[in-house]
Structures are given as structure tokens and as C-alpha cells.
Amino acid sequence: MTHNAYTYEAYGVHTDVLKKTTLPIPEIGEGDVLIKVQASAINPVDFKIMEGFIKDWPQSFPIIPGWDVAGTIEKTNSKDFQVGDEVFSYTRPAFDMTEEHPECSSEAIGTLDGTHAGYVAVKAWKVAKKPNSASIEEAAAVPLAALTAYQALHDKAGISEGKTVLIVAASGGVGSYAVGLAKEAGATVIGTCSARNFDYVKGLGASDVRDYNEEDYLKGIEADIV
């Protein structure tokens, strides 16, 4: 069985190197699931890898770009998922997480992890069931941006109730999630964005919003976390 995928076999801009190809549908191993892709997201890291700016990460051609995906379980070797479950996933190879996941030590960027394809095989621990409140397309936009915001606030900054957090570019992909996550943690949130996005950022939970186009827009701000 085969599926369609977008791949590239040399570094370069997407208009020069990206092409539609036909590949075998991935096989799943122990603890894996096969996701039938219904939506996938594009992030800046996809282009950085494609254009050769991150060659230190293990990778080999051909490469299917994309790590954010949402779809349905087509096959499963995990007790946590059943065929037909609607799920979303961050499929990035976990070559740098071998302490927690030694089974991923050989993972590398290539054709097995990319989400701009008909199917993707992934370790079940990288997958979550899609909330009923989110569409497939919305779920596909969550993983990378939301994880980046969560890790920055909780793993790096140690956010806690009562702290004041300044979030730069609060209307962007990562910033939008950071506002909501910081608010949920009990922090006071100050965001920066353009004036046209004030209502959006306030609606996410920011108590103060500043226009970064204004002179001295940070005047008077005292924040525990930036």
C-alpha cells in the first residue's frame, strides 16, 4: 500500500526542492500507532531544516517536512488508542530524549516522522486524543507552538500563582498559547502586540496589553518572567 507525501532530497527553498511523491505506507512497531492524516501544520523550523540551517540534528534524505498533525487512528499497537480515535500529535524525532525514551535513540528526521503525507507512524506517547471542543484543523495547529509555550513557562521559567509575566508577541503562535497558559497558572499577564490585536490578547487573559509600535511601550512594567 502506498500514500502521497511531499518530500525533498536536497536542501533549498521549498519552491525548488519540495515535490509530491508516492511512498509505501509506514509500518508500525511495538507501542506505535498509524495516523491517517487529516490536517498538518507548517512551522518555521520546517523551512529551517529544509534550507539546511539545522544540519546538526540527525537527518537523511528524502525528508517529509512537518511535525504537527491531526487525524484518525488507522492501526494501533497501543492499548491507549483504538482504530478510529481522533488524535493529534507532535511527531518530532526524540533523538534528544533518550534518557526518558531510550527506544527513540535511533530516530532521525526523514520519511518516518513527517506529517505532510497521507499517513504517519508515531510512538503512542507522542499522541493525544483530540478534544471534542477542537476541530481537526485546530488540533493540528496546537503541538509545536503550545509545547514551546508550556516548556518556556513551566520547565524553564518556573511560573507559579501570583507572578507577573511579560509575553512578547502575545498575538503570535507561541505567544497566544503563553498568555492562556500563564493565566491558567494564576499569573498576571502583560502582553505586547500591535494595537489591532489588543482585544484578541485581552480575550486570551492578558490584563495589560502594550503596543510595541509605541515609544517607551514597556515603561512602568515590572515583571517576574519575560
Side-chain angles (χ1 to χ4, degrees):
M1 297 288 289
T2 60
H3 67 138
N4 292 325
Y6 286 94
T7 66
Y8 58 96
E9 299 187 30
Y11 297 118
V13 297
H14 68 282
T15 52
D16 293 336
V17 301
L18 196 62
K19 60 183 180 180
K20 188 176 183 178
T21 56
T22 300
L23 296 172
I25 293 176
E27 298 290 335
I28 60 171
E30 183 179 354
D32 293 352
V33 296
L34 181 67
I35 299 174
K36 184 176 183 180
V37 177
Q38 293 179 275
S40 60
I42 299 172
N43 292 288
V45 69
D46 300 324
F47 292 101
K48 291 178 181 178
I49 294 171
M50 187 183 302
E51 294 173 16
F53 292 109
I54 314 180
K55 293 181 179 178
D56 289 342
W57 292 355
Q59 55 199 270
S60 60
F61 296 121
I63 292 173
I64 299 175
W67 291 333
D68 285 356
V69 67
T72 55
I73 298 294
E74 184 79 4
K75 294 181 180 180
T76 178
N77 281 336
S78 167
K79 60 180 176 56
D80 296 324
F81 299 99
Q82 302 296 320
V83 172
D85 285 347
E86 290 188 322
V87 297
F88 65 122
S89 175
Y90 183 48
T91 67
R92 185 181 79 85
F95 51 83
D96 55 351
M97 298 178 65
T98 54
E99 185 173 338
E100 304 97 321
H101 298 283
E103 75 279 8
C104 298
S105 61
S106 63
E107 290 189 352
I109 299 166
T111 58
L112 297 181
D113 59 290
T115 60
H116 298 327
Y119 296 87
V120 60
V122 61
K123 294 294 182 187
W125 65 265
K126 300 181 184 181
V127 181
K129 292 183 179 179
K130 182 187 74 66
N132 292 331
S133 58
S135 69
I136 284 287
E137 293 80 8
E138 289 169 338
V142 169
L144 187 150
L147 280 171
T148 300
Y150 184 91
Q151 290 168 346
L153 289 170
H154 289 272
D155 298 346
K156 299 297 183 182
I159 192 171
S160 60
E161 186 175 359
K163 289 190 175 182
T164 298
V165 182
L166 172 62
I167 297 173
V168 179
S171 62
V174 175
S176 294
Y177 285 110
V179 172
L181 289 168
K183 182 70 173 180
E184 181 68 20
T188 298
V189 182
I190 304 169
T192 71
C193 61
S194 62
R196 66 179 181 177
N197 291 317
F198 274 16
D199 289 343
Y200 171 67
V201 174
K202 287 180 180 178
L204 294 173
S207 57
D208 185 6
V209 185
R210 304 293 182 92
D211 184 353
Y212 54 58
N213 293 303
E214 297 293 329
E215 188 175 354
D216 296 329
Y217 68 96
L218 296 179
K219 187 175 180 179
I221 292 178
E222 295 184 4
D224 302 300
I225 299 170
V226 179

